[in-house]
Amino acid sequence: MGHLSTGRSAHSATLLPSDKVLVVGGQTADSSLGATSELFDPATSTWSPAGSMDAPRQSHTATLLRGKVLVTGGYNPQTGIQSSAEVYEPGSGWKGFSASMNVDRYKHTATRLDADSVLLVGGFSNADQSATTAEIYYQP
Protein backbone atom coordinates (compact mmCIF):
# COMPACT_ATOMS: atom_id res chain seq x y z
CA MET A 1 0.00 0.00 0.00
CA GLY A 2 1.24 3.49 -0.78
CA HIS A 3 2.12 6.20 1.71
CA LEU A 4 0.76 9.66 2.41
CA SER A 5 2.96 12.30 0.81
CA THR A 6 2.87 14.18 4.13
CA GLY A 7 2.95 12.44 7.50
CA ARG A 8 0.26 13.88 9.78
CA SER A 9 -1.54 13.54 13.11
CA ALA A 10 -4.77 15.10 14.46
CA HIS A 11 -6.15 15.00 10.89
CA SER A 12 -9.49 13.73 9.60
CA ALA A 13 -10.35 10.94 7.15
CA THR A 14 -13.71 10.80 5.37
CA LEU A 15 -15.09 8.06 3.13
CA LEU A 16 -16.48 9.60 -0.07
CA PRO A 17 -19.33 8.21 -2.22
CA SER A 18 -16.66 7.15 -4.76
CA ASP A 19 -15.14 4.86 -2.08
CA LYS A 20 -12.04 7.07 -2.02
CA VAL A 21 -10.93 8.48 1.34
CA LEU A 22 -10.25 12.20 1.84
CA VAL A 23 -7.52 12.92 4.44
CA VAL A 24 -7.47 16.55 5.60
CA GLY A 25 -5.16 18.82 7.60
CA GLY A 26 -3.49 17.86 10.84
CA GLN A 27 -0.04 18.45 12.23
CA THR A 28 2.64 17.39 9.78
CA ALA A 29 5.74 15.33 10.51
CA ASP A 30 7.91 18.48 10.67
CA SER A 31 5.57 19.91 13.39
CA SER A 32 3.99 22.47 11.08
CA LEU A 33 0.26 22.66 10.59
CA GLY A 34 -1.12 21.39 7.32
CA ALA A 35 -3.80 22.83 5.09
CA THR A 36 -3.26 20.14 2.49
CA SER A 37 -5.45 17.17 1.73
CA GLU A 38 -4.92 13.86 -0.03
CA LEU A 39 -7.15 11.19 -1.58
CA PHE A 40 -6.63 7.48 -1.08
CA ASP A 41 -8.00 5.19 -3.77
CA PRO A 42 -8.43 1.68 -2.29
CA ALA A 43 -8.95 0.18 -5.78
CA THR A 44 -5.37 1.07 -6.74
CA SER A 45 -3.85 1.57 -3.23
CA THR A 46 -2.57 4.97 -4.35
CA TRP A 47 -2.56 8.46 -2.86
CA SER A 48 -3.02 11.70 -4.81
CA PRO A 49 -3.06 15.39 -3.80
CA ALA A 50 -6.51 16.90 -3.23
CA GLY A 51 -5.62 20.58 -2.81
CA SER A 52 -5.42 22.86 0.19
CA MET A 53 -7.90 24.45 2.57
CA ASP A 54 -7.80 28.20 3.14
CA ALA A 55 -6.99 27.69 6.85
CA PRO A 56 -4.54 25.12 8.22
CA ARG A 57 -6.15 23.19 11.07
CA GLN A 58 -5.84 20.14 13.31
CA SER A 59 -8.30 18.44 15.67
CA HIS A 60 -11.17 19.49 13.41
CA THR A 61 -14.12 17.44 12.15
CA ALA A 62 -15.01 16.41 8.62
CA THR A 63 -18.58 15.35 7.82
CA LEU A 64 -20.05 14.12 4.54
CA LEU A 65 -23.13 16.17 3.58
CA ARG A 66 -24.79 15.78 0.16
CA GLY A 67 -21.63 14.24 -1.27
CA LYS A 68 -19.47 17.17 -0.08
CA VAL A 69 -17.19 17.21 2.95
CA LEU A 70 -17.80 19.93 5.54
CA VAL A 71 -14.69 20.63 7.65
CA THR A 72 -15.44 22.53 10.87
CA GLY A 73 -13.37 24.15 13.58
CA GLY A 74 -9.95 22.96 14.60
CA TYR A 75 -6.86 24.52 16.07
CA ASN A 76 -4.13 26.61 14.45
CA PRO A 77 -1.19 27.62 16.71
CA GLN A 78 -0.84 30.96 14.88
CA THR A 79 -4.49 32.02 14.90
CA GLY A 80 -5.95 29.94 17.73
CA ILE A 81 -9.15 27.96 17.87
CA GLN A 82 -11.19 28.17 14.67
CA SER A 83 -14.87 28.94 14.14
CA SER A 84 -14.50 28.70 10.37
CA ALA A 85 -15.80 25.95 8.12
CA GLU A 86 -14.71 24.91 4.63
CA VAL A 87 -16.21 22.65 1.99
CA TYR A 88 -14.52 20.04 -0.22
CA GLU A 89 -16.42 18.96 -3.31
CA PRO A 90 -15.17 15.76 -5.00
CA GLY A 91 -14.23 16.50 -8.58
CA SER A 92 -13.97 20.26 -7.97
CA GLY A 93 -11.79 20.55 -4.87
CA TRP A 94 -11.90 23.09 -2.05
CA LYS A 95 -14.62 25.75 -2.28
CA GLY A 96 -13.22 28.11 0.35
CA PHE A 97 -14.84 29.28 3.54
CA SER A 98 -18.45 28.47 4.30
CA ALA A 99 -20.51 30.18 7.01
CA SER A 100 -18.70 30.19 10.36
CA MET A 101 -19.91 28.27 13.38
CA ASN A 102 -21.46 30.22 16.27
CA VAL A 103 -18.67 29.10 18.63
CA ASP A 104 -14.99 28.49 17.95
CA ARG A 105 -14.14 24.88 18.82
CA TYR A 106 -11.69 22.04 18.36
CA LYS A 107 -11.65 18.40 19.51
CA HIS A 108 -15.43 18.52 19.22
CA THR A 109 -17.78 15.92 17.78
CA ALA A 110 -19.81 16.21 14.60
CA THR A 111 -22.85 14.03 13.99
CA ARG A 112 -24.65 14.12 10.65
CA LEU A 113 -28.37 14.67 11.25
CA ASP A 114 -29.60 14.67 7.67
CA ALA A 115 -28.33 15.53 4.18
CA ASP A 116 -27.90 19.22 5.05
CA SER A 117 -27.06 19.48 8.74
CA VAL A 118 -24.61 18.36 11.38
CA LEU A 119 -24.73 18.58 15.17
CA LEU A 120 -21.50 20.03 16.62
CA VAL A 121 -21.01 19.34 20.33
CA GLY A 122 -18.45 20.21 22.99
CA GLY A 123 -14.73 20.33 22.44
CA PHE A 124 -12.55 23.21 23.58
CA SER A 125 -13.24 26.88 22.93
CA ASN A 126 -11.62 30.29 23.38
CA ALA A 127 -14.75 31.44 25.22
CA ASP A 128 -14.63 28.69 27.83
CA GLN A 129 -11.93 26.06 28.27
CA SER A 130 -14.26 23.11 27.85
CA ALA A 131 -17.07 24.03 25.46
CA THR A 132 -20.45 23.23 26.96
CA THR A 133 -22.33 24.37 23.87
CA ALA A 134 -23.85 22.57 20.93
CA GLU A 135 -25.10 23.89 17.61
CA ILE A 136 -26.70 22.63 14.47
CA TYR A 137 -24.76 23.68 11.40
CA TYR A 138 -26.65 23.86 8.10
CA GLN A 139 -24.71 23.53 4.86
CA PRO A 140 -26.43 25.66 2.22
Side-chain angles (χ1 to χ4, degrees), residues 43-112:
T44 60
S45 292
T46 58
W47 291 90
S48 59
S52 293
M53 297 177 288
D54 286 337
R57 58 185 82 220
Q58 67 181 27
S59 301
H60 56 277
T61 60
T63 309
L64 189 66
L65 295 175
R66 284 188 283 134
K68 302 174 187 176
V69 178
L70 174 69
V71 175
T72 59
Y75 179 75
N76 180 325
Q78 288 142 357
T79 59
I81 301 171
Q82 307 291 305
S83 64
S84 64
E86 299 187 53
V87 174
Y88 177 83
E89 190 172 310
S92 302
W94 290 98
K95 297 299 178 188
F97 289 114
S98 186
S100 289
M101 298 180 295
N102 293 322
V103 173
D104 48 354
R105 58 180 83 229
Y106 78 111
K107 293 188 176 180
H108 55 289
T109 62
T111 304
R112 182 177 175 263

Side-chain angles (χ1 to χ4, degrees), residues 9-24:
S9 62
H11 56 283
S12 63
T14 307
L15 180 63
L16 302 175
S18 66
D19 289 333
K20 293 181 179 179
V21 178
L22 178 69
V23 174
V24 176

